[in-house]
Amino acid sequence: MAINLDAALGIHPQTLDFRVERSKMLAGNLANAETPGYKARDLDFKTVMTQINSGMGHDRSYEAAYRVPYQTSSDQNTVELGKEQARYSQNAMDYQTSLTFLNMKIAGLKSAIEGQ
């Protein structure tokens, strides 16, 4: 009997990919915090999961949205350093959570295969 890994692992590999892509985007925002005119971008989890569930998000070409700042800067840069750092930290914790779920799924599959 063959195991379909896509079905067995569920959505967890895609959420891990999403967290990696979001981490890159947030890191780019942080790197450009002092760049005049830079527009901060972000990925929305709910939107990306909707794309994945509809079959459109498997190519990892997630559509980023520009963020509207709470407080505008004089140089038109929309990165708010403290909020961006908090988002990056939250995303790192969410990445660890997704990784833990994926590891639990793999451990369960391994246990089932070994017959324990």
Side-chain angles (χ1 to χ4, degrees):
M1 178 162 114
I3 296 175
N4 182 347
L5 281 179
D6 288 335
L9 297 178
I11 194 75
H12 301 296
Q14 288 87 4
T15 58
L16 208 57
D17 285 341
F18 164 77
R19 294 292 171 201
V20 168
E21 292 303 313
R22 185 168 189 233
S23 179
K24 290 176 188 176
M25 191 164 292
L26 294 174
N29 290 346
L30 288 168
N32 287 292
E34 299 295 322
T35 304
Y38 182 81
K39 305 296 182 208
R41 299 179 319 142
D42 201 355
L43 296 171
D44 179 52
F45 184 76
K46 186 184 281 188
T47 303
V48 170
M49 289 300 114
T50 302
Q51 288 176 350
I52 289 171
N53 287 333
S54 67
M56 298 182 329
H58 291 288
D59 60 355
R60 287 191 227 163
S61 60
Y62 308 125
E63 191 170 323
Y66 289 99
R67 189 174 303 120
V68 177
Y70 292 105
Q71 193 172 33
T72 58
S73 68
S74 59
D75 65 359
Q76 303 303 312
N77 183 313
T78 62
V79 177
E80 295 171 306
L81 191 57
K83 293 192 182 300
E84 210 66 41
Q85 289 170 330
R87 287 181 186 108
Y88 189 86
S89 295
Q90 181 65 49
N91 191 63
M93 287 188 296
D94 292 340
Y95 175 86
Q96 286 299 322
T97 302
S98 295
L99 188 59
T100 299
F101 280 123
L102 189 58
N103 283 334
M104 288 176 11
K105 286 279 198 175
I106 292 170
L109 288 172
K110 181 181 175 197
S111 177
I113 290 169
E114 292 175 348
Q116 296 178 354

